[in-house]
Amino acid sequence: MKDSAQVVVIGGGVVGASVLYHLTKLGWTDVMLIERSELTSGSTWHAAGGMHTLNGDPNVAKLQRYTIDLYKEIEEKSGQDCGVHLTGGVLLADTPERMQWLKMAQARGRYLGIEYDLISVKEAKELFPLLEEKYFVGAMFSHEDGHLDPSGVTHAYAKSARMNGAEIVLRNRVVELAQHPDGSWDVVTEQGTVHAEHIVNAGGLWAREVGRMAGLELPVLAMEHMYLLTEDMPEVIEFNESTGKEVLHAVDFGGEIYMRQERKGMLMGTYERACVPWSPKETPWEFGHELLQPDIDRITPSLERGFAHFPAFERAGIKQIINGPFTFAPDGNPLVGPVRGLRNYWCACGVMAGFSQGGGVGLALSNWIVNGDPAFDVWAMDVARYGDWATMAYTSAKVQENYSRRFSITFPNEELKAGRPLRTSPLHDRLKAENAVMGASFGLEHALWFQEKGKDPVEDVTFMRSNSHAQVAKECAGVRQGVGMIEISNFAKYEVTGPGAEVWLSHLLANRMPRTGRIVLSPMLNPAGGLIGDFTVAKAAEDRFYVFGSGVAETYHMRWFLSHLPDDGRVTVRPLGLELTGLSIAGPKAREVLAAVTGEDISAAAFRFMDFREMDLGMIPAKVGKITFTGDLGYEIWVKAEYLTQLYDLLRRAGADHGMILFGGRALNGLRLEKNFGTWAREYRPIYGPYAANLGRFVGARKNDFIGRDAALKERDDGPKLKLVSLKVDAGDADVIGDEPVWIDGRVMGWITSGGFAHASGASVAMGYVPAEFAGAADAPFEVEIIGERRKAELLTDPLFDPAGERMRG
């Protein structure tokens, strides 16, 4: 074993082997994989080996498609058979709602280039004759589903990596990690120490232990998972002989069951509701090529449904029940990427669907390590989507919820209950007393909308318009016609101080920095010119700035801030979290409410749009900016947490004389849509540049130095290939939610990023990206596909509300 390497990958499952291979494909051959036992020794060897392209996040689906396509490449390179059986798959819907979900999945596939066919139950029966038709209402055929040999795939990755120059060391456990001041690592193993520039935690079942070696507590938990293998089945043999094909891969969503052929019998697996974590606090190092004791009683309810839905199974003998542990993150997606504040430490953990996602994870992470960017939109897999609040107990609650709902529909307006409430602001109880329907974002409870007094604060989950629709309309009208108040403590807040603060921020952000007492809006770009953030920046003093951004991206952005922080001590940046809390008041009467609680001159001339001032409101010291995400006249008011309830009460009393209402996040979404305002993680993501996203006016092109400047100016000069547009949609009783295809002249040419109903304008609005040549084509025949129906859409060249922006500047 050599004593140094550019990268050490810890863990020899399919994910670790994929990362190693992809690093060598990019030309990094001084790389090493260290495995405590043999390749595949953790979860990989006992996996069912299914593969599919279907995923609720289209960006993950694209990486799954890449993974499946990759198997031919590594087979040819290595000479190792991957045992790929590309049978196709039947996805069975047991309810009209599930059929709606499949229609939406088919629509996403249109712009991803993934082929899905909606079929009848009768057609599904012809493809998969084991099913009992009466339990289903429809189905979807997926052309690229199938299964493979887990061991063959892992060894194909490993052999291909070795052929490219990588070293693989087996039967050698990593026992300690120690970081040097330059960011490099000593990887201490049973056989000696390897000095590495980078390390990758692909520890699988031992990912927590490898994390703890570096002081991390990663939000990952192993669950027991069972599947059974049948004896030979006459029905399978007959199908093989009559068609010359294998029985297809199948998923019964209502039965929580997946199936595929195994030899001349079938494999049936289930995600049972009575799920059980495995080794919840620590994974024993001695665990290896062994299985857990099956618990047939626990999966009996699922098997009973399976035998009813697929009667041939009831007549078949069970040859073996496999029970083995698999790791999950709280939402079921992988944990990938660099860790905030920990140089050169990379995660590739929690990849439950390793044979659908392992290749994509390896590609993205190797790009990230070698080139500084994953080259794809991997937000749904980024380890930074969790903060320090994702404790072991939280992770356990959410993983069990996710596991038991593996095949359940999660509706776009559904807020899952496990692990809540966890983080609450001081206003939580007051908002609940006002009948708020609460949601959780980045672990923090916040008001979505306010139910009528006397009715339960519960939302009907649906793909259609819900019982929130009328109430949100009242909230929007209250803002536009008078004044409304919303808590904004769920925004991310950062304080940047020190004599080098302005120079550092100016280098990090694309726009020019504001003068003291002023605010600017600014994108943040990566070196390739991709949008990695959009911020409101307020300059409170020469050496003190406040930066406001998306709450869900706090860890993501702090990781970037810290990785670019100079080491001379001239700049300090810290997230303020719930140390700084806030309320926003907005609407034509907002100034009257604010004037009632302060002696400051806040007239239009004295307190201009985008001004920022520290002032007392009553007895409360506050920071006030004349800006709101509603696009109306309004103010964002920030105070220390100990003042928030008093501020709330003060503003409620002052607002009573002006009919002030409370509004929540749903209304805010409707208000920003009618202003064509985009938002982080939907319209603004790293795959888009600032000119594509209509943020070019916030790029300080005359600045000589900021990250991404050359790429941004090239995008400006060449013109972006895509442009963000807003569409008014003839939506019927269902609005867009995001990820729907945009049809132009009968072809899918774009996609929706977000949308909803803009109540104050009485219109359904969608935002999305289309080829740039259509961004100004008001007469182009736009259509948006909503739940399988192509709906006519009209290009909005100007915002529906206040297109000149006079209200917010007043």
Side-chain angles (χ1 to χ4, degrees), residues 104 115 332 362 451 535-536 669 701-702 798:
M104 295 162 71
E115 191 174 0
Q451 177 61 284
F535 298 100
T536 301
N669 185 60
R702 286 180 288 181
D798 292 307

Side-chain angles (χ1 to χ4, degrees), residues 196-505:
E197 182 181 346
H198 300 269
I199 56 175
V200 176
N201 179 353
L205 293 175
W206 294 270
R208 288 177 305 183
E209 281 65 34
V210 177
R212 288 165 184 164
M213 291 178 188
L216 298 174
E217 190 62 47
L218 292 169
V220 64
L221 176 70
M223 299 293 292
E224 294 189 17
H225 179 67
M226 282 180 276
Y227 62 86
L228 62 84
L229 304 174
T230 74
E231 302 283 359
D232 291 356
M233 294 173 61
E235 295 85 355
V236 173
I237 295 170
E238 193 280 329
F239 182 85
N240 297 158
E241 291 178 348
S242 64
T243 67
K245 299 177 181 179
E246 280 188 81
V247 177
L248 275 63
H249 182 274
V251 174
D252 171 7
F253 291 103
E256 300 165 341
I257 287 166
Y258 61 90
M259 294 155 286
R260 67 166 177 83
Q261 184 171 339
E262 175 68 15
R263 299 185 184 276
K264 295 182 180 180
M266 291 291 290
L267 178 153
M268 176 185 280
T270 179
Y271 288 89
E272 71 281 4
R273 295 186 185 277
C275 55
V276 173
W278 177 76
S279 196
K281 294 188 176 179
E282 57 184 22
T283 304
W285 287 108
E286 62 273 14
F287 185 80
H289 274 79
E290 54 200 276
L291 294 171
L292 308 176
Q293 185 66 32
D295 185 354
I296 191 73
D297 291 339
R298 198 170 79 243
I299 63 172
T300 294
S302 296
L303 295 182
E304 288 175 346
R305 285 194 300 274
F307 294 166
H309 293 188
F310 309 94
F313 278 89
E314 193 167 19
R315 300 187 292 270
I318 297 177
K319 181 166 62 177
Q320 187 180 8
I321 297 177
I322 307 293
N323 186 15
F326 288 88
T327 56
F328 294 77
D331 60 4
N333 279 336
L335 300 173
V336 179
V339 175
R340 178 191 69 185
L342 199 57
R343 290 174 62 190
N344 299 340
Y345 186 105
W346 304 83
C347 286
C349 315
V351 190
M352 182 280 299
F355 295 99
S356 294
Q357 299 173 346
V361 168
L363 174 68
L365 190 66
S366 59
N367 281 334
W368 217 335
I369 294 170
V370 174
N371 300 319
D373 186 83
F376 300 93
D377 191 336
V378 297
W379 172 250
M381 301 193 298
D382 196 322
V383 66
R385 69 188 185 275
Y386 293 104
D388 296 340
W389 46 269
T391 61
M392 186 183 295
Y394 171 88
T395 298
S396 178
K398 294 302 288 187
V399 166
Q400 291 182 67
E401 178 186 58
N402 177 270
Y403 182 97
S404 66
R405 293 177 50 89
R406 182 71 183 161
F407 290 145
S408 298
I409 298 173
T410 299
F411 290 92
N413 66 333
E414 186 173 10
E415 295 287 329
L416 301 182
K417 296 179 180 179
R420 297 178 55 200
L422 178 60
R423 302 175 66 212
T424 60
S425 85
L427 289 185
H428 181 257
D429 290 344
R430 276 174 163 75
L431 298 178
K432 290 285 287 183
E434 295 290 342
N435 226 19
V437 177
M438 305 298 289
S441 178
F442 204 59
L444 180 64
E445 299 289 314
H446 61 103
L448 295 171
W449 58 283
F450 292 85
Q451 177 61 284
E452 286 184 63
K453 295 290 186 181
K455 293 185 178 181
D456 291 338
V458 176
E459 183 163 4
D460 301 331
V461 294
T462 175
F463 292 120
M464 319 301 282
R465 291 172 185 162
S466 77
N467 61 324
S468 70
H469 193 75
Q471 287 302 110
V472 174
K474 293 178 183 177
E475 294 174 22
C476 291
V479 172
R480 290 294 189 231
Q481 296 169 17
V483 59
M485 181 166 69
I486 183 174
E487 184 182 13
I488 54 173
S489 300
N490 57 336
F491 290 15
K493 294 87 57 181
Y494 314 89
E495 184 181 54
V496 181
T497 57
E502 182 159 354
V503 171
W504 180 72
L505 276 173

Side-chain angles (χ1 to χ4, degrees), residues 425-634:
S425 85
L427 289 185
H428 181 257
D429 290 344
R430 276 174 163 75
L431 298 178
K432 290 285 287 183
E434 295 290 342
N435 226 19
V437 177
M438 305 298 289
S441 178
F442 204 59
L444 180 64
E445 299 289 314
H446 61 103
L448 295 171
W449 58 283
F450 292 85
Q451 177 61 284
E452 286 184 63
K453 295 290 186 181
K455 293 185 178 181
D456 291 338
V458 176
E459 183 163 4
D460 301 331
V461 294
T462 175
F463 292 120
M464 319 301 282
R465 291 172 185 162
S466 77
N467 61 324
S468 70
H469 193 75
Q471 287 302 110
V472 174
K474 293 178 183 177
E475 294 174 22
C476 291
V479 172
R480 290 294 189 231
Q481 296 169 17
V483 59
M485 181 166 69
I486 183 174
E487 184 182 13
I488 54 173
S489 300
N490 57 336
F491 290 15
K493 294 87 57 181
Y494 314 89
E495 184 181 54
V496 181
T497 57
E502 182 159 354
V503 171
W504 180 72
L505 276 173
S506 185
H507 175 66
L508 221 61
L509 303 180
N511 205 351
R512 291 174 293 174
M513 290 300 97
R515 300 187 302 276
T516 301
R518 293 288 289 165
I519 295 169
V520 299
L521 304 179
S522 179
M524 183 165 73
L525 310 179
N526 61 24
L531 284 166
I532 57 172
D534 66 304
F535 298 100
T536 301
V537 183
K539 185 175 182 180
E542 281 303 309
D543 59 354
R544 180 163 50 93
F545 291 79
Y546 293 97
V547 180
F548 304 94
S550 170
V552 297
E554 182 183 290
T555 301
Y556 175 88
H557 288 139
M558 275 302 298
R559 180 177 67 192
W560 186 262
F561 294 159
L562 293 174
S563 69
H564 290 82
L565 201 64
D567 55 10
D568 59 8
R570 290 176 53 81
V571 183
T572 300
V573 58
R574 66 187 187 97
L576 297 175
L578 286 178
E579 177 185 334
L580 191 66
T581 56
L583 292 166
S584 176
I585 56 174
K589 297 182 180 180
R591 181 184 289 109
E592 297 169 52
V593 174
L594 186 62
V597 299
T598 183
E600 297 273 343
D601 182 358
I602 59 166
S603 64
F607 196 39
R608 299 165 298 163
F609 179 58
M610 303 290 271
D611 271 356
F612 182 84
R613 187 181 302 173
E614 294 179 321
M615 64 177 73
D616 291 344
L617 305 184
M619 298 182 293
I620 303 166
K623 309 175 196 305
V624 183
K626 189 177 180 182
I627 184 174
T628 81
F629 198 41
T630 66
D632 214 318
L633 172 66

